[in-house]
Amino acid sequence: MEYLLIFISAIFVNNIVLSQFLGICPFLGVSKKIDTALGMSAAVTFVLTIATIVTFLLQKYVLDAFGLAYLQTITFILVIAALVQMVEIILKKVSPALYQALGVFLPLITTNCCILGVAILVIQKDYDLLTGVVYAFSTALGFGLALILFAGLREQMSLVKVPKGMQGTPIALLTAGLLAMAFMGFSGVV
């Protein structure tokens, strides 16, 4: 039951983008097309889940064991950067079209505060490995859900006439705010 609560909470109630405001850069940058949003969601899900496993193990068996907890942030950043490079190489070989569509945003996963934030939150919340992985995977699904919903809304907005002063970033930010308010409706669920 605990895992189900974490799953629902991370996706809907405490959505990493819409409630905690982590990962806004790819949320706004890659959300113009649903296909690109799906690719970014998959990449973030993979990197976030694997990064949480690796950083958890490093924290518990290296940093804590040798009294090096003060190196947590730099260690986590290096692990995330290495994982993103691995994803970039795999995407380049497996799906060149998706690799081209993601463009500059794929390397930006390296500095995506969502991934670093979740890795640190797992340690701060004192989760065990399985609970941390469930939390990370659920958070990644919540990120993907928000990104895909926002991409769908932006595709629909491209079909309507938006006043000149609201075109582009202003209407995107307004829509993101409304989407965040919609997700606030889930706060009483868990």
Side-chain angles (χ1 to χ4, degrees):
M1 187 66 173
E2 177 188 355
Y3 297 125
L4 182 62
L5 289 175
I6 289 172
F7 187 78
I8 292 171
S9 175
I11 293 175
F12 298 108
V13 180
N14 296 319
N15 188 287
I16 197 80
V17 177
L18 301 173
S19 289
Q20 299 178 22
F21 307 112
L22 296 174
I24 297 291
C25 180
F27 178 71
L28 292 173
V30 187
S31 60
K32 292 181 181 166
K33 293 183 179 179
I34 291 178
D35 295 339
T36 310
L38 281 168
M40 179 61 108
S41 298
V44 167
T45 301
F46 177 76
V47 171
L48 187 56
T49 306
I50 300 300
T52 299
I53 294 169
V54 174
T55 55
F56 179 87
L57 294 173
L58 275 172
Q59 179 73 34
K60 294 298 178 192
Y61 298 111
V62 177
L63 298 178
D64 288 347
F66 294 107
L68 300 171
Y70 61 92
L71 293 174
Q72 179 188 55
T73 304
I74 191 71
T75 304
F76 287 10
I77 289 172
L78 291 173
V79 166
I80 292 165
L83 288 170
V84 169
Q85 286 300 312
M86 185 177 73
V87 169
E88 193 170 355
I89 290 168
I90 291 169
L91 271 181
K92 199 173 198 178
K93 291 189 183 263
V94 173
S95 179
L98 180 59
Y99 176 77
Q100 290 295 327
L102 291 175
V104 72
F105 294 103
L106 191 57
L108 284 179
I109 293 177
T110 304
T111 58
N112 187 346
C113 56
C114 168
I115 295 172
L116 179 61
V118 169
I120 291 173
L121 282 172
V122 165
I123 302 301
Q124 284 179 347
K125 292 181 178 196
D126 202 27
Y127 286 152
D128 58 42
L129 182 59
L130 181 59
T131 307
V133 170
V134 169
Y135 175 72
F137 183 72
S138 303
T139 300
L141 290 179
F143 175 85
L145 177 66
L147 188 64
I148 292 164
L149 286 174
F150 191 55
L153 290 170
R154 287 184 80 177
E155 278 188 3
Q156 289 298 313
M157 282 189 301
S158 68
L159 301 174
V160 298
K161 187 173 180 173
V162 177
K164 186 172 172 91
M166 291 295 290
Q167 291 175 355
T169 305
I171 194 70
L173 291 174
L174 184 64
T175 305
L178 291 172
L179 189 59
M181 286 175 52
F183 269 68
M184 284 177 58
F186 292 115
S187 62
V189 174
V190 177

